[in-house]
């Protein structure tokens, strides 16, 4: 995992490239590489994970010098692809970067469907004077771009684009929709004007000031190849086989690997599956806690670890440090993020770095493929779990600003309501949001996060199964629970999903009250808000209206990102 940057056009300059690389230096402290020619600059911040030698540094050049690549991510099946390519190509490194570039040379855009990995990469073709860039199926790795004065800029983080001097102004429609509907924008949008995302599952060409974007992965078509007549036991066996293979692939690295664990089913399943590997019991596990028994999952984690005997590193989030950590996280994220849990999660990666662990695995992705959220079983299109009333407070918005909000409309390619909700969460809401949070969190500490449960083979196979295998007599993620019941206690296997892991609601109203109040006061006079109503809602929250703290966190996020 690394950082990539590039500038194509008359305004391309080393000065701007250096500023972009410096802005995201945390993504890759092991090496900084540059390719500079007239009208084209490419940059790379390297976090060395596979083939640690200087020969694998980037930008990386094809042997004929026609192609230059900058690549962020990992191609987990690079060894299998390498064997396929060796008949016609002599490799000079042990890196997945060289495999990726060679695959593109041999197969063109068709190489993308052969890749099992997380990736965002760009390839400059000196012969065609053309840039090709692509992003993985689910958008695990970021790719931001803008076009200013007929010059194309791209980077792994938004702050790198702004480092060139590009003007920074809020995308008010996206911000208004965030307040009104909890939306974080569509896959091609950001919270900033003129800053765009290349969506997951897409690639682009940029040539002679013309941008073309194409979708390369069609999930709706991909799941049609799965047989829906399989028995329950066959589905379990095949899914477990895929799980084992996915985890083995994600243990390919030339640096130490650990994993994150909570008391929930998904990361507990990860723990059990990791321990099916040779020497799995020696792999370090990391977990966070706050010291609040109402929310902490530490007792469940310690109970799990007692059986597996993995080394457990416990990281406590102290409320006295939270304000500073939250502000640092805001600057890292560049856009609104998920609150105290995201900050707490970030502390795990910092601790892992101090322990010399450079790669961590987590359990993201099970709820979306096996229908694990509570709203899947209710007649609601909610995107937030664990609340009894609307978490949004639109009455505090000015009428002019609220008018800019657009209620998100997501595709519904399936006849089944739950399938459409799963599809929404995979490609438009839950997963894109979590992946962005997690990428910045891990990169802040110069560490790599891998998500084995988001292997596309797993997601496709699970998604395609009958609903009764996902939700059976009210039990959600039924196949997964059945699999892990052979390795975990019933108290873990059949525990309900806990929507809250930190005392965010209480901390904002009590320990952090003055900090929150300062943030809200900083919004006074801002055209987006009716400040009197804002204060009324804040007062009501302090006085006990705390079903949800999402709206309070929204205002804090806004103050940190907009006012500062």
């Amino acid at each position: 995992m690394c950082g990539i940057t590039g500038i194509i056009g008359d305004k391309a300059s080393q000065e701007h490239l250096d500023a972009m690389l410096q802005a995201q230096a945390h993504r890759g402290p092991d090496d900084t590489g540059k390719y500079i020619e007239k009208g084209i600059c490419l940059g790379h911040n390297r976090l060395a994970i596979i083939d640690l030698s200087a020969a694998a540094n980037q930008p990386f050049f094809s042997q004929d010098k026609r192609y230059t690549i900058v690549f962020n991510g990992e191609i987990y099946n690079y060894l299998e692809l390498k064997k396929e390519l060796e008949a016609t190509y002599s490799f000079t490194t042990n890196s997945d970067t060289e495999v990726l570039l060679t695959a593109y040379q041999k197969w063109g855009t068709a190489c993308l469907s052969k890749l099992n990995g997380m990736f965002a990469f760009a390839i400059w073709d000196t012969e065609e004077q053309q840039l090709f860039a692509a992003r993985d199926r689910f958008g695990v790795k970021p790719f931001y771009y803008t076009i200013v004065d007929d010059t194309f800029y791209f980077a792994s983080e938004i702050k790198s684009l702004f480092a060139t001097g590009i003007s920074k102004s809020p995308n008010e429609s996206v911000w208004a929709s965030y307040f009104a509907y909890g939306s974080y924008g569509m896959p091609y949008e950001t919270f900033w004007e003129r800053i765009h995302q290349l969506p997951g599952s897409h690639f682009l060409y940029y040539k002679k000031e013309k941008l073309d974007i194409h979708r390369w992965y069609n999930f709706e078509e991909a799941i049609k190849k799965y047989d829906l007549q399989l028995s329950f036991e066959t589905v379990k066996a095949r899914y477990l086989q895929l799980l084992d293979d996915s985890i083995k692939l994600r243990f390919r690295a030339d640096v130490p690997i650990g994993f994150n664990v909570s008391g929930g089913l998904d990361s507990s399943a990860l723990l059990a599956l990791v321990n099916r590997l040779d020497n799995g019991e020696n792999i370090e596990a990391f977990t966070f806690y706050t010291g609040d028994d109402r929310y902490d999952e530490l007792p469940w984690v310690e109970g799990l670890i007692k059986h597996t005997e993995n080394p457990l590193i416990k990281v406590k989030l102290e409320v006295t440090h939270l304000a500073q950590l939250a502000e640092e996280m805001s600057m890292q994220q560049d856009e609104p993020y998920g609150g105290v849990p995201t900050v707490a999660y970030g502390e795990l990666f910092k601790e892992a770095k101090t322990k010399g662990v450079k790669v961590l695995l987590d359990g993201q992705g099970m709820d979306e493929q096996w229908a694990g959220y509570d709203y899947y079983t209710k007649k609601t299109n909610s995107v937030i779990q664990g609340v009894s009333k609307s978490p949004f407070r639109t009455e505090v918005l000015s009428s002019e600003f609220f008018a800019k909000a657009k209620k998100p409309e997501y595709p519904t390619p399936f006849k089944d309501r739950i399938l459409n909700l799963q599809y929404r969460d995979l490609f438009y809401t839950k997963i894109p949001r979590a992946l962005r949070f997690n990428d910045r969190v891990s990169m802040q500490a110069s560490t790599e996060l891998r998500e084995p449960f988001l292997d596309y083979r797993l997601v496709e196979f699970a998604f395609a199964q009958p609903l009764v295998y996902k939700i059976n007599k009210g039990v959600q993620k039924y196949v997964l629970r059945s699999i892990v019941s052979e390795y975990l206690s019933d108290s873990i296997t059949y525990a309900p999903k806990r929507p809250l892991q930190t005392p965010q609601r209480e901390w904002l109203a009590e320990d952090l009250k003055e900090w929150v109040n300062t943030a809200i006061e900083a919004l006074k006079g801002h055209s987006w808000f009716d400040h009197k109503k804002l204060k009324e809602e804040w007062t009501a929250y302090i006085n006990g209206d705390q079903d949800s703290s999402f709206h309070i966190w929204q205002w804090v996020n806004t103050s940190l990102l907009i006012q500062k």
Side-chain angles (χ1 to χ4, degrees):
M1 194 185 294
C2 307
I4 62 175
T5 61
I7 313 171
I8 298 92
D10 292 340
K11 297 293 180 68
S13 71
Q14 181 171 341
E15 178 186 0
H16 281 163
L17 184 70
D18 287 344
M20 296 170 80
L21 288 167
Q22 181 57 40
Q24 59 181 40
H26 49 275
R27 296 188 70 91
D30 297 328
D31 184 70
T32 302
K34 291 175 275 191
Y35 169 76
I36 301 171
E37 296 290 343
K38 184 178 181 181
I40 169 72
C41 295
L42 298 177
H44 189 261
N45 308 96
R46 187 181 184 199
L47 184 67
I49 303 293
I50 294 175
D51 187 347
L52 310 185
S53 72
N57 288 345
Q58 302 178 44
F60 191 90
F61 306 94
S62 62
Q63 291 181 0
D64 62 5
K65 305 302 181 187
R66 175 177 174 178
Y67 300 102
T68 307
I69 186 172
V70 286
F71 162 46
N72 171 28
E74 305 291 350
I75 307 302
Y76 300 121
N77 64 333
Y78 76 104
L79 294 178
E80 290 76 13
L81 292 173
K82 189 173 185 177
K83 285 182 180 178
E84 199 172 340
L85 293 163
E86 279 176 331
T88 57
Y89 181 87
S90 297
F91 287 88
T92 61
T93 74
N94 294 314
S95 70
D96 57 341
T97 304
E98 187 175 15
V99 173
L100 174 56
L101 182 55
T102 305
Y104 178 75
Q105 285 181 270
K106 184 174 179 64
W107 297 307
T109 59
C111 77
L112 297 171
S113 62
K114 293 177 175 285
L115 305 177
N116 187 343
M118 55 178 185
F119 54 84
F121 66 88
I123 296 173
W124 177 250
D125 183 339
T126 57
E127 190 173 297
E128 292 291 330
Q129 292 288 289
Q130 173 178 269
L131 185 79
F132 171 78
R135 200 168 172 208
D136 62 71
R137 292 170 179 83
F138 300 111
V140 181
K141 295 292 95 195
F143 189 100
Y144 297 99
Y145 70 90
T146 189
I147 301 174
V148 179
D149 296 333
D150 296 326
T151 298
F152 182 86
Y153 301 80
F154 71 86
S156 296
E157 297 192 14
I158 293 172
K159 62 177 65 66
S160 295
L161 299 176
F162 288 137
T164 65
I166 293 169
S167 62
K168 186 176 185 179
S169 57
N171 183 333
E172 292 196 340
S173 177
V174 173
W175 278 98
S177 301
Y178 168 63
F179 291 119
Y181 305 108
S183 166
Y184 285 73
M186 300 301 278
Y188 52 85
E189 292 180 310
T190 74
F191 281 77
W192 305 102
E193 287 284 358
R194 299 179 297 279
I195 306 296
H196 312 283
Q197 294 189 72
L198 176 65
S201 304
H202 286 69
F203 68 78
L204 65 77
Y205 287 112
Y206 186 77
K207 182 178 181 179
K208 294 181 179 178
E209 301 173 7
K210 183 182 179 184
L211 176 65
D212 290 311
I213 298 177
H214 305 270
R215 185 184 185 192
W216 68 267
Y217 174 61
N218 188 320
F219 179 78
E220 304 92 295
E221 289 298 317
I223 63 170
K224 290 180 180 179
K225 63 179 176 282
Y226 295 94
D227 186 350
L228 297 181
Q229 306 305 312
L230 298 176
S231 71
F232 183 75
E233 291 303 318
T234 300
V235 168
K236 277 178 57 179
R238 288 196 184 178
Y239 192 70
L240 179 57
Q241 186 179 33
L242 288 171
L243 280 169
D244 283 338
D245 189 60
S246 175
I247 289 171
K248 286 177 183 176
L249 286 178
R250 281 154 184 81
F251 267 86
R252 287 178 172 174
D254 296 325
V255 296
I257 297 179
F259 63 98
N260 298 328
V261 63
S262 68
L265 173 66
D266 302 347
S267 65
S268 303
L270 179 62
L271 170 66
L273 293 161
V274 164
N275 278 275
R276 285 165 57 88
L277 298 172
D278 293 337
N279 204 37
E281 70 278 2
N282 293 321
I283 297 167
E284 289 183 309
F286 294 81
T287 193
F288 74 77
Y289 69 106
T290 65
D292 190 319
D293 294 340
R294 294 171 295 178
Y295 299 101
D296 280 345
E297 297 182 332
L298 189 57
W300 286 273
V301 173
E302 290 175 329
L304 279 169
I305 293 295
K306 186 164 62 175
H307 295 291
T308 63
E309 298 184 348
N310 292 79
L312 177 64
I313 290 87
K314 296 174 281 190
V315 181
K316 186 177 182 182
L317 179 67
E318 300 281 1
V319 69
T320 52
H321 300 152
L322 188 61
Q324 180 181 343
L325 292 172
E327 291 177 17
E328 291 171 358
M329 183 63 72
S330 182
M331 297 304 102
Q332 176 67 11
Q333 292 280 341
D334 293 319
E335 299 180 283
Y337 67 95
V340 175
T342 305
V343 176
Y345 199 44
E347 295 305 285
L348 296 187
F349 293 90
K350 295 175 186 177
E351 183 66 18
K353 184 179 181 180
T354 69
K355 300 289 185 184
V357 175
K358 210 169 184 179
V359 175
L360 288 166
L361 276 62
D362 84 354
Q364 189 73 49
M366 280 299 187
D367 287 307
E368 293 78 12
Q369 58 188 280
W370 286 114
Y373 293 118
D374 63 1
Y375 52 74
Y376 289 136
T377 61
K378 302 173 182 177
K379 297 295 183 181
T380 173
N381 289 323
S382 174
V383 294
I384 296 178
Q385 177 164 283
V387 296
S388 59
K389 66 178 185 179
S390 174
F392 313 121
R393 300 294 186 272
T394 57
E395 62 272 16
V396 308
L397 304 178
S398 68
S399 57
E400 296 84 358
F401 180 61
F402 181 52
K404 297 179 180 181
K406 298 176 183 177
K407 187 173 183 179
E409 294 185 5
Y410 305 111
T412 53
F414 304 100
K415 295 179 181 179
D416 182 86
R417 183 187 73 88
I418 291 179
L419 286 180
N420 284 324
L421 286 177
Q422 289 182 267
Y423 181 78
R424 178 201 70 181
D425 287 352
L426 275 168
F427 291 99
Y428 292 90
T429 56
K430 291 284 190 180
I431 289 297
R433 184 171 70 230
L435 291 177
R436 193 256 289 173
F437 296 169
N438 292 350
D439 173 82
R440 304 307 182 279
V441 160
S442 63
M443 287 282 89
Q444 183 183 35
S446 302
T447 53
E448 175 171 288
L449 176 63
R450 298 179 174 184
E451 280 123 344
F453 297 160
L454 280 177
D455 187 307
Y456 73 95
R457 299 169 301 169
L458 286 170
V459 179
E460 290 175 1
F461 183 77
F463 191 97
Q465 298 311 310
L467 181 60
V468 69
Y469 290 177
K470 300 174 185 177
I471 305 173
N472 189 295
K473 297 178 181 178
V475 178
Q476 294 177 265
K477 295 190 283 193
Y478 189 64
V479 164
L480 180 65
R481 293 183 194 276
S482 182
I483 289 172
V484 301
S485 66
E486 299 175 25
Y487 309 100
L488 303 174
S489 66
D490 285 352
S491 63
I492 292 294
T493 300
Y494 294 102
K497 187 172 181 65
R498 290 181 288 275
L500 302 175
Q501 295 174 292
T502 68
Q504 173 172 301
R505 291 185 300 192
E506 293 82 1
W507 281 0
L508 293 180
E510 298 165 12
D511 304 74
L512 296 169
K513 182 168 68 173
E514 291 307 315
W515 178 66
V516 175
N517 193 64
T518 299
I520 291 175
E521 281 299 313
L523 297 174
K524 192 172 184 177
H526 199 292
S527 62
W528 292 356
F529 300 102
D530 180 324
H531 192 65
K532 181 181 177 183
K533 291 180 180 177
L534 197 67
K535 290 289 288 183
E536 288 173 355
E537 282 291 341
W538 169 227
T539 301
Y541 183 82
I542 295 171
N543 291 334
D545 183 6
Q546 297 174 11
D547 179 64
S548 168
S549 60
F550 182 65
H551 58 296
I552 305 297
W553 187 258
Q554 284 182 317
W555 305 336
V556 172
N557 255 203
T558 305
S559 182
L560 294 176
L561 284 165
I562 299 295
Q563 295 304 100
K564 292 192 177 183

